């Protein structure tokens, strides 16, 4: 977030800077450091475009590095309550609104009713997501594991 709190994801320190990680678990002795948006961190970084990602830029730059070069590997979980449902905080936009997605298991009818009440977008009857004002959320929790 703009105030420095980590949103839901995996993180680690590589070459003195904290980066998001594709996964916190090394694969074949490597980890993949990630930068969403902005300019490429270097010519040797790969670039992917995800045109429809919610609460994140479509541009993702990544580089596979030796896992031994990455320290302080951890997961972060940012959650809150929106009304009676638990939501995961996925991102923050330039206006300070938070991108949230429901976490609680709800029936398709409950998802639709909840989404309608809060102005969220239902997704395939499994969850709902939207940008919300921070003051709509209660019980904000930022955990590091």
């Amino acid at each position: 977030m703009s105030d420095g709190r980590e949103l839901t994801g995996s993180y680690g320190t590589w070459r003195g800077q904290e980066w998001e990680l594709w996964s916190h678990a090394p694969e074949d002795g490597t980890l993949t450091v990630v930068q969403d948006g902005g300019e490429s961190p270097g010519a040797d970084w790969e670039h992917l475009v995800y045109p429809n990602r919610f609460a994140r830029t479509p541009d993702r730059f990544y580089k596979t590095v030796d896992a031994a070069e990455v320290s302080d590997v951890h997961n972060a979980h940012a959650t809150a309550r929106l009304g009676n449902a638990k939501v995961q905080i996925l991102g923050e936009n330039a206006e300070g609104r938070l991108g949230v997605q429901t976490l609680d298991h709800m029936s398709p009818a409950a998802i639709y009713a909840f989404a309608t009440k809060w102005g969220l977008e239902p997704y395939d009857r499994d969850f709902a997501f939207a940008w919300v004002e921070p003051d709509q959320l209660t019980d904000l929790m930022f955990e590091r594991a």
Side-chain angles (χ1 to χ4, degrees), residues 29-96:
T30 65
L31 287 166
T32 302
V33 292
V34 173
Q35 175 183 297
D36 280 328
E39 297 295 319
S40 175
D44 57 343
W45 286 62
E46 300 290 327
H47 180 223
L48 290 173
V49 177
Y50 298 102
N52 297 313
R53 279 196 327 172
F54 172 70
R56 290 182 176 254
T57 174
D59 292 298
R60 172 167 270 198
F61 300 96
Y62 67 96
K63 179 179 178 74
T64 301
V65 301
D66 187 332
E69 296 178 16
V70 183
S71 62
D72 192 26
V73 175
H74 62 281
N75 288 323
H77 302 280
T79 59
R81 294 203 75 76
L82 178 61
N84 63 349
K86 189 172 184 179
V87 295
Q88 182 174 349
I89 304 170
L90 302 174
E92 179 183 32
N93 68 14
E95 293 79 38

Side-chain angles (χ1 to χ4, degrees), residues 7-12 19-25 56 73-76:
L7 295 174
T8 300
S10 297
Y11 299 89
W19 295 89
E20 186 172 357
L21 301 174
W22 210 307
S23 169
H24 71 278
R56 290 182 176 254
V73 175
H74 62 281
N75 288 323

Side-chain angles (χ1 to χ4, degrees), residues 73-145:
V73 175
H74 62 281
N75 288 323
H77 302 280
T79 59
R81 294 203 75 76
L82 178 61
N84 63 349
K86 189 172 184 179
V87 295
Q88 182 174 349
I89 304 170
L90 302 174
E92 179 183 32
N93 68 14
E95 293 79 38
R97 297 178 80 202
L98 300 176
V100 300
Q101 162 181 312
T102 56
L103 283 175
D104 290 341
H105 176 72
M106 296 184 216
S107 70
I111 284 281
Y112 181 76
F114 181 80
T116 300
K117 176 179 179 177
W118 290 98
L120 276 67
E121 179 74 28
Y123 179 78
D124 199 27
R125 303 182 319 173
D126 291 328
F127 62 90
F129 60 94
W131 292 101
V132 300
E133 296 297 332
D135 62 5
Q136 291 180 278
L137 301 173
T138 59
D139 300 333
L140 273 77
M141 187 176 298
F142 296 87
E143 299 175 294
R144 182 179 166 153

